[in-house]
Amino acid sequence: MQDQADSQSGTRDETPSSRSVQVLSESSAPSKSTAGLRSPSELDKSPKPSLGTRRATLGLIGNGKGQKSPTQTLRVPKRASRPSLHSTATTVLSFADTHTQLHSDGSQRTPAHSLRSISSRPSLASLRLDTPIGHRSRAASEAGETASIYSLAPTVGAGADAESILGDLLVTDQRSPGWKFLHEPTEKKSESPVVPFDTGEPKADFNREFDEIPDVDSDGSNEVALLEMWRSKRKHYLILSAAGKPVYNRHGSDNLISSYIGVIQTIISFFEGSGDELKSFTAGASRFVVITRGPLYLVAITKLGESDSQLRVQLEALYMQILSTLTLPTLSNMFSKRPSTDLRRPLQGTEVLLSALADTFTRGSPPALLSSLECLKIRNHHRQTINASLLKNKCKDLLYGLIVAGGRLVSVVRPRTHSLHPGDLQLIFNMLFEAGGVKASEGENWIPMCLPGFNKNGYLYMYVSFLDVLEAEKREEVSSPSIRKEDRLAVLLISANRESFYELREMRDRVIEDLETNGEMNIIKSAIMAGRPSTTDIVSGTVLQHFLYKSRSNLQYFMPSYHPTFNTLLERRRLMSVYHNLHASVHAKAGHLKVHHCISREFIALAWVTPAFELYCVAGPTTSRSALTQSANKLVQWVKKEEQRIFIIGGAVF
């Protein structure tokens, strides 16, 4: 027996793996010489089973060898019946392209600092939510699916000194006003939901964000109350000259906020005097973003959690709105002769255009976020017939011809050597469908306007004619605000000749007559009255509540109706806040995310970016990841099938 034990010991020393197998066999066999329970001393002397050697690497892309990661399809592998000791991939995409964030209790966990010390070997760290980041739980390997875990997927290699690739969604304190605004629960029965601005401030209705602030009384008795009202606004836009002269501010009069404008001008001038450019800074719960365009300073102040790049796009649009009124040479000439020029007098009457554009950004603007246009969904052969009518009746001075339905493009004809810039069309649509003056006008309009994307040095002349889609008796039956906004159809004819008004009007009459004759006018009106389809109309049984799909080659986007999930102004603003965070994550300079998956207490969201398209979608908080990815795949397939209907590809040229 001693020789046999020595022989077994020698075998275990030579081959550790065979030792583990043999010990497990001996310990699992029933003992014939022992009855009842063994003593503690015997238990200590008995061999302990080994868990075996752990695999050196973990598969990140499925289990099969040579499996390729698809570029146009998202897949989720089936779950194992029991929790495995080895971590498996959540999708077939590599972790360098995807990142998942979990919020279950609302507390912030920022994995940005973990990215600097990630091991070169791919792995997943399972941590208990009540354990500080960086300390592994003892029961992590036994937690299973029923435990509360926080999974962190490595996204960079070892030694990489990278910032968080998830943007403001992870870096920002989730208990900040921007996070509260996004996650504060609201009662569906309440017609005016409330959201707190800051911890110590009372709750206020988001609809009051756009209320005008009265002027200060002559005796100044209401100045304190008005300042409190001004501070309660979640977003401000300020435009001032380099000399400190106020040009435009969305909320409050110049007398009310003159001291704040002076402070901002002093801060900007201090940095310029040091040879530096002030781009952004944070003060309390507010984010300040500054851009300098010639003699003007444009400032955005927000509590809504938008990224700096998104705010710069909005400020750029406001600057383009000023150029559309004055042109760049006029603006430069005024300040070169007199640096202390008061620009409010030349811009008098256009404040409504600036305010309408600013309010659109505050409510949330998909065209501004995606830098693209939305088109009216009609069949391709109907659109070709409309284009043919415009080309057949084209006059010699026509530069651009457009038919627009409530901000959605129906048809466009253009010269072969020129294209329309999305920013220019955004200015046109803002003037026609958002600003009250032009939209309320009946009949014809002749508007001189500079299109900075086309030529910021001169004016073009735009003939605008509105057509009513609804009859008077039917208009009273329609109560939806979205339908009332889109029940106007506009014909836009743009020329470089200031004397071409009558010529363009004759062209308009001929085009309308053709559309009435061939029945295309009824097709356009029917598409307007049908509105945007719901997500379930697009993909039957989908879990998606809303989405934004952008065609990157066409600079156009498509989205479904906000109904029935996002009916109120606050709900739509929260939805846009989700899209802003997804957009900032996948377009962050520090990372190269292609897929970003985010889970919160109130939603589950996905951002998917390819060279051909960008997709941002939102579903309910109980939706599984597999259901979300399946719905995203079906949606992409539907868009490819309906691409000719929902996008204008190429357009008509002459």
Side-chain angles (χ1 to χ4, degrees):
M1 295 296 293
Q2 183 67 27
D3 295 338
Q4 183 178 359
D6 294 339
S7 175
Q8 293 176 356
S9 176
T11 303
R12 289 193 293 269
D13 292 339
E14 293 176 1
T15 58
S17 61
S18 61
R19 172 186 178 276
S20 301
V21 174
Q22 187 171 0
V23 170
L24 286 172
S25 301
E26 292 176 358
S27 60
S28 60
S31 176
K32 298 182 180 180
S33 60
T34 304
L37 299 175
R38 289 184 290 179
S39 63
S41 60
E42 293 177 347
L43 290 174
D44 295 338
K45 295 179 181 180
S46 63
K48 298 181 180 179
S50 173
L51 293 178
T53 57
R54 191 174 179 88
R55 295 168 62 182
T57 59
L58 300 179
L60 293 180
I61 312 178
N63 296 326
K65 296 182 179 180
Q67 184 179 1
K68 297 181 180 180
S69 175
T71 58
Q72 299 294 328
T73 305
L74 294 176
R75 298 178 183 174
V76 177
K78 297 181 179 179
R79 288 187 177 181
S81 59
R82 296 181 60 187
S84 175
L85 292 176
H86 302 292
S87 300
T88 58
T90 56
T91 68
V92 297
L93 299 173
S94 65
F95 283 121
D97 293 339
T98 183
H99 196 112
T100 299
Q101 178 193 2
L102 176 64
H103 301 303
S104 66
D105 62 347
S107 59
Q108 179 189 7
R109 290 174 177 83
T110 303
H113 64 278
S114 303
L115 297 177
R116 291 180 167 83
S117 59
I118 293 176
S119 173
S120 59
R121 184 179 65 181
S123 63
L124 292 176
S126 298
L127 306 175
R128 292 179 58 186
L129 282 175
D130 55 354
T131 305
I133 300 296
H135 298 278
R136 184 183 297 272
S137 172
R138 296 180 179 178
S141 61
E142 302 175 1
E145 294 184 357
T146 59
S148 179
I149 63 171
Y150 179 82
S151 298
L152 175 64
T155 54
V156 296
D161 187 10
E163 298 178 0
S164 174
I165 62 178
L166 296 182
D168 296 339
L169 189 61
L170 289 181
V171 177
T172 312
D173 186 1
Q174 293 177 351
R175 290 164 292 186
S176 66
W179 184 89
K180 290 181 180 180
F181 175 76
L182 182 61
H183 295 279
E184 183 74 14
T186 58
E187 298 181 3
K188 295 183 179 179
K189 297 181 180 180
S190 175
E191 296 182 357
S192 57
V194 292
V195 177
F197 292 115
D198 292 314
T199 305
E201 294 188 8
K203 296 182 179 181
D205 187 359
F206 181 66
N207 292 320
R208 298 178 183 175
E209 176 74 15
F210 309 101
D211 292 347
E212 297 295 334
I213 299 178
D215 294 333
V216 181
D217 293 339
S218 58
D219 57 356
S221 58
N222 63 339
E223 183 175 0
V224 176
L226 295 181
L227 282 175
E228 288 298 325
M229 186 184 301
W230 185 82
R231 294 191 190 100
S232 68
K233 302 295 184 181
R234 294 183 178 90
K235 198 166 187 179
H236 297 272
Y237 293 98
L238 304 176
I239 303 177
L240 60 150
S241 65
K245 292 280 187 178
V247 176
Y248 169 80
N249 51 278
R250 174 59 188 93
H251 300 292
S253 62
D254 296 338
N255 295 332
L256 180 65
I257 62 172
S258 58
S259 59
Y260 292 95
I261 294 178
V263 170
I264 293 175
Q265 194 270 341
T266 302
I267 296 174
I268 297 174
S269 300
F270 173 79
F271 277 84
E272 287 188 345
S274 304
D276 198 359
E277 181 182 1
L278 178 62
K279 294 183 178 180
S280 61
F281 63 93
T282 301
S286 301
R287 183 66 175 174
F288 291 70
V289 173
V290 182
I291 67 171
T292 303
R293 293 294 178 268
L296 299 181
Y297 299 142
L298 297 94
V299 184
I301 309 172
T302 183
K303 298 179 183 179
L304 299 179
E306 296 158 293
S307 67
D308 292 357
S309 60
Q310 293 164 357
L311 292 174
R312 290 190 186 98
V313 170
Q314 298 172 15
L315 293 177
E316 192 71 34
L318 292 176
Y319 177 66
M320 293 293 108
Q321 182 65 64
I322 294 177
L323 291 185
S324 70
T325 304
L326 299 178
T327 72
L328 182 60
T330 302
L331 180 66
S332 303
N333 186 42
M334 292 170 60
F335 282 93
S336 63
K337 293 181 178 180
R338 187 180 178 185
S340 60
T341 298
D342 187 356
L343 202 60
R344 290 176 295 182
R345 179 171 297 180
L347 292 176
Q348 188 175 6
T350 63
E351 297 88 350
V352 62
L353 301 178
L354 291 168
S355 297
L357 195 59
D359 290 346
T360 300
F361 297 149
T362 303
R363 287 191 296 266
S365 173
L369 175 64
L370 302 176
S371 298
S372 56
L373 304 170
E374 184 182 11
C375 301
L376 184 68
K377 182 178 179 290
I378 58 175
R379 292 182 179 272
N380 185 43
H381 70 272
H382 291 308
R383 205 184 306 273
Q384 295 297 332
T385 304
I386 298 171
N387 292 341
S389 297
L390 288 171
L391 291 175
K392 183 179 68 173
N393 299 286
K394 180 184 74 68
C395 62
K396 64 176 183 178
D397 290 331
L398 180 70
L399 183 60
Y400 295 112
L402 302 92
I403 298 179
V404 186
R408 291 180 289 173
L409 198 59
V410 179
S411 176
V412 56
V413 294
R414 61 178 178 84
R416 190 176 301 275
T417 56
H418 298 290
S419 61
L420 276 170
H421 193 276
D424 292 340
L425 287 178
Q426 184 180 17
L427 296 179
I428 295 175
F429 295 167
N430 175 69
M431 175 186 296
L432 300 181
F433 301 101
E434 299 296 338
V438 178
K439 186 174 66 174
S441 300
E442 297 292 343
E444 303 166 320
N445 297 269
W446 183 246
I447 305 171
M449 185 178 184
C450 173
L451 299 181
F454 175 76
N455 181 11
K456 62 181 65 176
N457 297 321
Y459 289 102
L460 296 177
Y461 299 90
M462 183 169 58
Y463 172 86
V464 181
S465 177
F466 285 100
L467 305 174
D468 285 334
V469 176
L470 295 178
E471 300 295 337
E473 58 273 10
K474 294 182 179 180
R475 187 184 300 276
E476 298 177 357
E477 301 175 0
V478 179
S479 58
S480 174
S482 60
I483 297 297
R484 287 200 302 268
K485 177 183 176 181
E486 297 177 356
D487 64 357
R488 305 195 67 119
L489 185 65
V491 178
L492 283 69
L493 304 176
I494 303 175
S495 173
N497 184 5
R498 68 174 67 186
E499 305 296 336
S500 60
F501 172 82
Y502 295 102
E503 188 178 359
L504 295 178
R505 185 171 66 175
E506 292 178 1
M507 175 183 171
R508 175 260 184 196
D509 294 338
R510 294 193 301 268
V511 169
I512 296 300
E513 183 179 357
D514 278 0
L515 296 180
E516 294 284 358
T517 302
N518 56 30
E520 296 303 327
M521 183 61 68
N522 292 329
I523 296 296
I524 297 175
K525 293 181 178 180
S526 299
I528 295 174
M529 291 303 302
R532 299 183 181 93
S534 64
T535 55
T536 53
D537 292 336
I538 295 173
V539 179
S540 179
T542 183
V543 298
L544 301 181
Q545 296 177 343
H546 199 269
F547 66 85
L548 294 177
Y549 182 100
K550 175 184 176 181
S551 174
R552 305 184 77 172
S553 59
N554 298 311
L555 293 179
Q556 300 169 28
Y557 78 96
F558 179 79
M559 73 175 187
S561 173
Y562 287 111
H563 303 284
T565 307
F566 307 98
N567 296 319
T568 65
L569 180 62
L570 178 61
E571 290 171 343
R572 295 179 184 181
R573 175 60 242 192
R574 287 180 171 175
L575 174 66
M576 288 306 304
S577 296
V578 176
Y579 288 146
H580 277 88
N581 284 308
L582 292 175
H583 185 273
S585 299
V586 295
H587 291 281
K589 294 182 179 180
H592 302 282
L593 283 175
K594 295 181 180 178
V595 177
H596 176 45
H597 178 251
C598 179
I599 302 176
S600 181
R601 295 181 300 175
E602 296 186 1
F603 66 87
I604 177 173
L606 175 71
W608 183 11
V609 176
T610 71
F613 65 84
E614 297 179 12
L615 175 62
Y616 309 90
C617 52
V618 175
T622 60
T623 305
S624 64
R625 185 183 304 179
S626 60
L628 181 65
T629 53
Q630 289 175 6
S631 296
N633 285 324
K634 292 180 180 179
L635 176 61
V636 172
Q637 295 173 3
W638 179 87
V639 171
K640 290 181 179 179
K641 180 181 177 182
E642 301 289 330
E643 189 175 24
Q644 296 287 338
R645 297 185 181 185
I646 61 179
F647 298 133
I648 298 178
I649 302 177
V653 296
F654 57 87

